[in-house]
Short mmCIF file of all heavy atoms in Angstrom, two decimals:
data_model
loop_
_atom_site.label_atom_id
_atom_site.label_comp_id
_atom_site.label_asym_id
_atom_site.label_seq_id
_atom_site.Cartn_x
_atom_site.Cartn_y
_atom_site.Cartn_z
N PRO A 332 117.86 95.24 92.99
CA PRO A 332 116.72 95.55 92.13
C PRO A 332 116.49 94.51 91.04
O PRO A 332 115.36 94.36 90.57
CB PRO A 332 117.11 96.90 91.51
CG PRO A 332 118.61 96.89 91.51
CD PRO A 332 119.00 96.16 92.76
N VAL A 333 117.53 93.81 90.65
CA VAL A 333 117.39 92.79 89.61
C VAL A 333 116.59 91.61 90.14
O VAL A 333 115.64 91.14 89.51
CB VAL A 333 118.76 92.34 89.08
CG1 VAL A 333 118.62 91.20 88.08
CG2 VAL A 333 119.51 93.52 88.45
N ALA A 334 116.97 91.11 91.30
CA ALA A 334 116.26 89.99 91.90
C ALA A 334 114.80 90.35 92.19
O ALA A 334 113.89 89.54 91.96
CB ALA A 334 116.95 89.54 93.19
N LEU A 335 114.55 91.57 92.65
CA LEU A 335 113.18 91.98 92.93
C LEU A 335 112.39 92.10 91.63
O LEU A 335 111.25 91.63 91.54
CB LEU A 335 113.14 93.29 93.71
CG LEU A 335 111.83 93.62 94.43
CD1 LEU A 335 112.05 94.64 95.55
CD2 LEU A 335 110.74 94.11 93.49
N ASP A 336 112.98 92.70 90.61
CA ASP A 336 112.27 92.84 89.33
C ASP A 336 112.00 91.49 88.68
O ASP A 336 110.94 91.29 88.08
CB ASP A 336 113.07 93.73 88.38
CG ASP A 336 112.90 95.21 88.67
OD1 ASP A 336 112.41 95.55 89.76
OD2 ASP A 336 113.26 96.03 87.80
N LYS A 337 112.93 90.55 88.81
CA LYS A 337 112.70 89.21 88.27
C LYS A 337 111.53 88.54 89.01
O LYS A 337 110.67 87.90 88.40
CB LYS A 337 113.97 88.37 88.41
CG LYS A 337 113.86 86.94 87.82
CD LYS A 337 113.75 86.97 86.31
CE LYS A 337 113.70 85.57 85.69
NZ LYS A 337 114.88 84.74 86.00
N THR A 338 111.48 88.72 90.33
CA THR A 338 110.39 88.19 91.12
C THR A 338 109.07 88.84 90.72
O THR A 338 108.03 88.18 90.59
CB THR A 338 110.67 88.41 92.62
OG1 THR A 338 111.91 87.78 92.97
CG2 THR A 338 109.55 87.85 93.48
N GLY A 339 109.08 90.15 90.53
CA GLY A 339 107.88 90.87 90.11
C GLY A 339 107.41 90.47 88.73
O GLY A 339 106.19 90.36 88.48
N LEU A 340 108.35 90.24 87.82
CA LEU A 340 107.99 89.76 86.48
C LEU A 340 107.26 88.43 86.56
O LEU A 340 106.24 88.22 85.89
CB LEU A 340 109.26 89.63 85.62
CG LEU A 340 109.10 88.98 84.24
CD1 LEU A 340 108.18 89.79 83.35
CD2 LEU A 340 110.48 88.80 83.59
N ARG A 341 107.74 87.54 87.41
CA ARG A 341 107.08 86.25 87.58
C ARG A 341 105.66 86.43 88.13
O ARG A 341 104.73 85.73 87.72
CB ARG A 341 107.90 85.34 88.49
CG ARG A 341 109.16 84.78 87.87
CD ARG A 341 109.64 83.54 88.61
NE ARG A 341 109.79 83.79 90.03
CZ ARG A 341 110.92 84.17 90.60
NH1 ARG A 341 112.00 84.37 89.87
NH2 ARG A 341 110.99 84.36 91.92
N ALA A 342 105.50 87.36 89.07
CA ALA A 342 104.19 87.58 89.67
C ALA A 342 103.20 88.12 88.63
O ALA A 342 102.04 87.69 88.58
CB ALA A 342 104.31 88.57 90.83
N ILE A 343 103.64 89.04 87.79
CA ILE A 343 102.76 89.58 86.76
C ILE A 343 102.43 88.52 85.73
O ILE A 343 101.28 88.38 85.30
CB ILE A 343 103.41 90.82 86.10
CG1 ILE A 343 103.48 91.96 87.12
CG2 ILE A 343 102.61 91.25 84.87
CD1 ILE A 343 104.21 93.20 86.61
N ASN A 344 103.41 87.71 85.35
CA ASN A 344 103.15 86.64 84.39
C ASN A 344 102.19 85.60 84.96
O ASN A 344 101.36 85.04 84.23
CB ASN A 344 104.46 85.97 83.96
CG ASN A 344 105.14 86.71 82.83
OD1 ASN A 344 104.50 87.46 82.09
ND2 ASN A 344 106.44 86.50 82.68
N ALA A 345 102.28 85.34 86.26
CA ALA A 345 101.35 84.39 86.87
C ALA A 345 99.92 84.93 86.82
O ALA A 345 98.97 84.17 86.56
CB ALA A 345 101.76 84.11 88.32
N LYS A 346 99.78 86.21 87.07
CA LYS A 346 98.45 86.82 86.98
C LYS A 346 97.93 86.77 85.54
O LYS A 346 96.75 86.46 85.30
CB LYS A 346 98.50 88.26 87.48
CG LYS A 346 97.17 89.00 87.37
CD LYS A 346 96.06 88.36 88.21
CE LYS A 346 94.76 89.13 88.10
NZ LYS A 346 93.68 88.50 88.89
N ARG A 347 98.79 87.07 84.58
CA ARG A 347 98.39 87.01 83.18
C ARG A 347 97.95 85.59 82.80
O ARG A 347 96.93 85.40 82.12
CB ARG A 347 99.55 87.47 82.28
CG ARG A 347 99.83 88.97 82.37
CD ARG A 347 101.11 89.33 81.62
NE ARG A 347 100.98 89.12 80.19
CZ ARG A 347 100.58 90.05 79.32
NH1 ARG A 347 100.25 91.27 79.74
NH2 ARG A 347 100.52 89.77 78.02
N ALA A 348 98.70 84.60 83.26
CA ALA A 348 98.34 83.21 82.95
C ALA A 348 96.99 82.85 83.56
O ALA A 348 96.19 82.12 82.95
CB ALA A 348 99.42 82.27 83.49
N SER A 349 96.69 83.40 84.74
CA SER A 349 95.43 83.07 85.41
C SER A 349 94.21 83.60 84.67
O SER A 349 93.10 83.12 84.87
CB SER A 349 95.43 83.61 86.84
OG SER A 349 95.28 85.02 86.87
N VAL A 350 94.42 84.62 83.81
CA VAL A 350 93.30 85.17 83.03
C VAL A 350 93.42 84.81 81.55
O VAL A 350 92.75 85.39 80.69
CB VAL A 350 93.20 86.70 83.21
CG1 VAL A 350 92.91 87.05 84.66
CG2 VAL A 350 94.46 87.40 82.72
N GLY A 351 94.32 83.85 81.25
CA GLY A 351 94.43 83.34 79.89
C GLY A 351 95.27 84.17 78.95
O GLY A 351 95.15 84.02 77.72
N MET A 352 96.15 85.02 79.47
CA MET A 352 97.01 85.84 78.63
C MET A 352 98.40 85.24 78.53
O MET A 352 98.88 84.57 79.45
CB MET A 352 97.10 87.26 79.20
CG MET A 352 95.79 88.02 79.24
SD MET A 352 95.97 89.70 79.90
CE MET A 352 96.82 90.47 78.51
N ALA A 353 99.07 85.52 77.42
CA ALA A 353 100.46 85.07 77.23
C ALA A 353 101.37 85.81 78.19
O ALA A 353 101.05 86.90 78.70
CB ALA A 353 100.89 85.33 75.79
N SER A 354 102.53 85.23 78.45
CA SER A 354 103.53 85.91 79.27
C SER A 354 103.96 87.21 78.59
O SER A 354 103.79 87.38 77.37
CB SER A 354 104.75 85.01 79.48
OG SER A 354 105.45 84.84 78.25
N ILE A 355 104.51 88.11 79.35
CA ILE A 355 104.99 89.38 78.79
C ILE A 355 106.03 89.13 77.71
O ILE A 355 106.02 89.78 76.66
CB ILE A 355 105.55 90.26 79.91
CG1 ILE A 355 104.40 90.79 80.78
CG2 ILE A 355 106.37 91.43 79.35
CD1 ILE A 355 104.84 91.50 82.03
N GLU A 356 106.91 88.15 77.92
CA GLU A 356 107.95 87.86 76.94
C GLU A 356 107.37 87.45 75.59
O GLU A 356 107.97 87.72 74.54
CB GLU A 356 108.87 86.74 77.46
CG GLU A 356 109.68 87.11 78.69
CD GLU A 356 108.96 86.79 79.99
OE1 GLU A 356 107.71 86.73 80.00
OE2 GLU A 356 109.65 86.60 81.01
N LEU A 357 106.22 86.81 75.59
CA LEU A 357 105.62 86.29 74.36
C LEU A 357 104.41 87.10 73.90
O LEU A 357 103.75 86.73 72.94
CB LEU A 357 105.22 84.83 74.55
CG LEU A 357 106.35 83.87 74.91
CD1 LEU A 357 105.82 82.47 75.12
CD2 LEU A 357 107.44 83.87 73.84
N SER A 358 104.12 88.20 74.59
CA SER A 358 102.93 88.97 74.25
C SER A 358 103.10 89.71 72.93
O SER A 358 104.21 90.02 72.51
CB SER A 358 102.63 89.97 75.37
OG SER A 358 103.67 90.92 75.49
#
Side-chain angles (χ1 to χ4, degrees):
V333 175
L335 198 159
D336 280 15
K337 182 68 178 301
T338 302
L340 173 62
R341 287 200 306 268
I343 293 175
N344 276 338
K346 177 62 179 179
R347 289 172 66 92
S349 73
V350 297
M352 297 181 72
S354 68
I355 288 171
E356 294 90 336
L357 301 178
S358 64

